[in-house]
Amino acid sequence: MRHPIRLRSLPRLSRRSAVGATAAVTLAGLLVAPMATAAPAPTVAAPDIPLANVKAHLSQFQSIASANGGSRAHGRPGYKASIDYAKAKLDAAGYTTSVKQFTYNGATGYNLIADWPGGDANQVLMAGGHLDSVTSGPGINDNGSGSAAVLETALAVSREQLKPTKHLRFAWWGAEELGLVGSKNYVNSLPATERSKITGYLNFDMIGSPNPGYFVYDDDPTIEKTFKDFFAGLNVPTEIETEGDGRSDHASFKNVGIPVGGLFTGASRTKTSAQAQKWGGTAGQAFDRCYHSSCDTTANINDTALDRNSDAVAHAIWTLGAGSTPPPGDVYENTADVAIPDNAAAVSSPVSVTGRTGNAPAALQVGVDIRHTWRGDLVVDLIAPDGTAYRLKNSSANDSADNVIATYTVNASAESANGTWNLRVQDVAAQDTGYINSWKLTF
Ligand code: TRP
Ligand code: ZN
Ligand code: CA
């Protein structure tokens, strides 16, 4: 296969034919190459969250509102009664609870914080939602729904006696409807060292809308993917949440640099016909016609949406709380062969990295196994998930040895670990050819 004598001045293919010939090869190579995935150590699957339990909490919130002038708003007795209801359930389940007071508009407000004992105190996963309603109604979808799903997930953690890697903290915020007041108060009163321990905050505000959409916040990629994967498993399409980023309590966390994510089934915006086609429901009608109204009662809930979203809350807590910062030395490999066309466009071989947190290491090991009859022809790059290229090897006219079998060390600390990495290989001189045999990333 090796050509002992080689003329470097052989005529090259014209640019047009080179591109035309290789586009198909490249595409075919990508299509046949399976995505190699090395998942971190398996985690315990989340339990199904019983819809009946979530709805029982909603009935309690409804009764509380009805007994207290029709709302659970900041400064009204229905708010404090809602806090007391959730706190009693959590205390009985073994949580360490605390009610944090603040003052707003001349009235006392309350945040309820519930810590599940155990887990790494330096890695805190938080989930929450606002417990207050507007004054005009009982606030069952907005936000009894998120409050109840988070509460029932916390109770499921207790039922299962979950031993997560991370420390779990659940929160119910006051005075969200007056400008995210409770969550801002919480974040502002946390010392910087405590803030820096929060690895993520998951927000659930309006997750049972009567004419629902399935919206995922477009924020931290790991959190976003955790939710998208869950809905993909149910075959439920999702869209990115766009009905007002920053309009709920996650914004208080995002503003101080804490990774956030969350779910939403829609408020006053109108469902399009395309959305009605994929999700069912009524096109041309608001996701929640009772948004901020007196009719936001237990009748204002879509059970299927509430059920799916409640299970998604648990899935995220189990998945992200498992901590799953995999131990060093995890290998992600693609062993599918990818042909490298002669003196033509670059080809790529993907490796999908999931389940990690944070950035890639400063000494990321890139193991390359390329079979080729004249390796001087080859330019090799590692492409990070965001498209940044790291040059592993340049071409060189006189390196006539065959094969590139080497491990390169790349400072990838500016790249998020999760995502699709590619090994990109281009043959830039005519005559000799080869293929990517395999390649791997070692974290
Ligand atoms: N509680 C929010 C509000 O009253 C509801 C809301 C509107 C929302 N748009 C949102 C929640 C987008 C999450 C994401 O404003
Ligand atoms: Zn609201
Ligand atoms: Ca060549």
Side-chain angles (χ1 to χ4, degrees):
M1 291 296 282
R2 178 88 142 289
H3 303 268
I5 300 166
R6 187 144 187 233
L7 297 174
R8 304 307 301 184
S9 56
L10 287 172
R12 311 231 157 168
L13 294 172
S14 78
R15 186 166 198 81
R16 176 184 288 273
S17 62
V19 170
T22 55
V25 173
T26 306
L27 190 58
L30 278 175
L31 287 175
V32 298
M35 287 277 223
T37 303
T43 55
V44 186
D48 181 81
I49 298 298
L51 175 65
N53 294 11
V54 180
K55 293 190 74 176
H57 302 315
L58 293 183
S59 296
Q60 292 300 316
F61 292 143
Q62 177 71 64
S63 302
I64 287 167
S66 302
N68 289 284
S71 94
R72 301 180 302 107
H74 171 72
R76 308 286 171 93
Y79 182 71
K80 183 58 164 51
S82 300
I83 288 276
D84 294 344
Y85 169 77
K87 182 177 185 299
K89 297 275 180 202
L90 294 158
D91 286 337
Y95 278 83
T96 305
T97 60
S98 86
V99 175
K100 297 182 189 295
Q101 294 193 10
F102 57 90
T103 304
Y104 188 73
N105 270 357
T108 302
Y110 308 89
N111 292 326
L112 170 61
I113 308 292
D115 284 271
W116 180 238
D120 182 351
N122 290 314
Q123 297 183 71
V124 180
L125 176 64
M126 287 192 71
H130 73 90
L131 188 56
D132 64 315
S133 71
V134 291
T135 52
S136 48
I140 297 304
N141 185 36
D142 181 14
N143 181 36
S145 61
S147 298
V150 172
L151 176 58
E152 191 56 28
T153 297
L155 299 180
V157 164
S158 167
R159 282 193 294 271
E160 308 269 321
Q161 288 294 302
L162 188 66
K163 302 262 179 294
T165 307
K166 290 187 186 163
H167 178 79
L168 302 181
R169 181 177 299 155
F170 299 92
W172 292 263
W173 309 116
E176 185 270 354
E177 298 290 7
L178 304 176
L180 322 181
V181 176
S183 56
K184 277 183 196 162
N185 185 275
Y186 174 80
V187 168
N188 290 338
S189 62
L190 269 189
T193 50
E194 292 306 310
R195 259 188 217 170
S196 68
K197 294 174 185 170
I198 302 174
T199 63
Y201 170 70
L202 315 178
N203 193 61
F204 304 98
D205 184 0
M206 304 184 73
I207 57 169
S209 302
N211 185 28
Y214 292 87
F215 299 102
V216 178
Y217 299 1
D218 182 19
D219 267 295
D220 178 73
T222 303
I223 299 172
E224 185 180 337
K225 185 173 189 307
T226 302
F227 287 126
K228 285 179 169 171
D229 286 350
F230 176 80
F231 283 103
L234 295 182
N235 267 314
V236 174
T238 59
E239 287 185 15
I240 293 301
E241 190 286 302
T242 59
E243 196 179 348
D245 195 23
R247 278 180 64 183
S248 191
D249 297 295
H250 58 292
S252 307
F253 288 81
K254 183 175 166 149
N255 284 342
V256 297
I258 295 169
V260 302
L263 299 173
F264 179 59
T265 51
S268 53
R269 193 177 275 180
T270 302
K271 184 180 268 189
T272 67
S273 47
Q275 288 170 328
Q277 250 155 46
K278 65 172 144 181
W279 290 323
T282 311
Q285 200 176 88
F287 294 106
D288 182 356
R289 288 192 291 179
C290 289
Y291 176 61
H292 285 187
S293 308
S294 57
C295 60
D296 186 8
T297 64
T298 46
N300 190 44
I301 288 288
N302 179 287
D303 283 359
T304 303
L306 183 65
D307 191 15
R308 289 169 172 170
N309 280 290
S310 299
D311 291 342
V313 176
H315 172 78
I317 291 296
W318 258 254
T319 307
L320 297 167
S324 58
T325 301
D330 279 4
V331 175
Y332 304 78
E333 185 170 29
N334 189 342
T335 57
D337 291 359
V338 177
I340 305 166
D342 192 19
N343 190 28
V347 295
S348 291
S349 171
V351 158
S352 166
V353 175
T354 59
R356 306 196 73 88
T357 48
N359 282 4
L364 177 64
Q365 304 293 295
V366 187
V368 174
D369 180 347
I370 298 170
R371 307 303 163 112
H372 198 276
T373 52
W374 190 299
R375 70 181 182 194
D377 288 0
L378 299 176
V379 179
V380 183
D381 292 289
L382 173 71
I383 311 296
D386 70 358
T388 306
Y390 294 86
R391 177 59 46 91
L392 303 179
K393 178 196 169 303
N394 280 308
S395 61
S396 90
N398 43 28
D399 184 1
S400 65
D402 45 24
N403 302 337
V404 180
I405 299 175
T407 299
Y408 300 92
T409 301
V410 170
N411 181 352
S413 58
E415 307 295 339
S416 73
N418 287 328
T420 302
W421 297 74
N422 275 281
L423 186 74
R424 187 174 71 191
V425 181
Q426 185 170 18
D427 181 328
V428 297
Q431 199 164 332
D432 288 81
T433 60
Y435 62 98
I436 303 172
N437 189 34
S438 68
W439 77 284
K440 64 185 175 190
L441 291 171
T442 306
F443 280 76

